[in-house]
């Protein structure tokens, strides 16, 4: 009786070296992950027909990719000291 949309952004910290941080940005619709940006891969990957179409469009837009890549620096690396202090 409706639709379920979720966006999950997470930082994965594998070592105290800031080079080991990975950003995952997932888009979920009706409990199925459609598309994901992985900073290690450096682009969007689609997992459904809709996600593949969006990934192609978003990967062809340099501005969208630059913004997503910037999130690793802006969000994950800024919060690393908090994560490591816990």
């Amino acid at each position: 009786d409706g639709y379920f949309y979720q966006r999950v952004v997470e930082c994965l910290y594998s070592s105290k070296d800031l080079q080991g941080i990975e950003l995952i940005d997932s888009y979920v619709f009706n409990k199925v992950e459609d598309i994901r940006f992985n900073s290690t891969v450096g682009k969007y990957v689609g997992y459904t027909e809709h996600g593949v179409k969006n990934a192609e469009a978003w990967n062809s837009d340099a501005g969208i990719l630059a913004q997503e890549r910037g999130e690793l620096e802006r969000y994950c690396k800024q919060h690393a000291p908090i994560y490591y202090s816990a």
Side-chain angles (χ1 to χ4, degrees):
D1 145 69
Y3 298 99
F4 174 79
Y5 170 77
Q6 180 180 9
R7 182 176 177 193
V8 178
V9 180
E10 59 185 328
C11 302
L12 304 177
Y13 301 95
S14 59
S15 69
K16 289 194 177 190
D17 177 9
L18 293 181
Q19 298 303 317
I21 299 174
E22 182 177 19
L23 171 76
I24 305 292
D25 187 359
S26 300
Y27 296 79
V28 178
F29 183 72
N30 283 348
K31 300 181 182 179
V32 175
E33 185 176 23
D34 279 330
I35 189 169
R36 173 189 291 184
F37 177 84
N38 181 317
S39 63
T40 302
V41 176
K43 65 179 185 176
Y44 289 94
V45 176
Y47 298 105
T48 64
E49 183 178 345
H50 181 258
V52 169
K53 288 179 183 179
N54 280 337
E56 290 172 359
W58 296 352
N59 287 332
S60 67
D61 187 325
I64 291 175
L65 281 178
Q67 181 178 354
E68 192 73 78
R69 290 175 181 148
E71 290 300 299
L72 178 68
E73 295 291 326
R74 186 192 70 78
Y75 185 75
C76 293
K77 290 187 178 180
Q78 292 296 319
H79 289 91
I82 297 168
Y83 175 81
Y84 291 127
S85 69

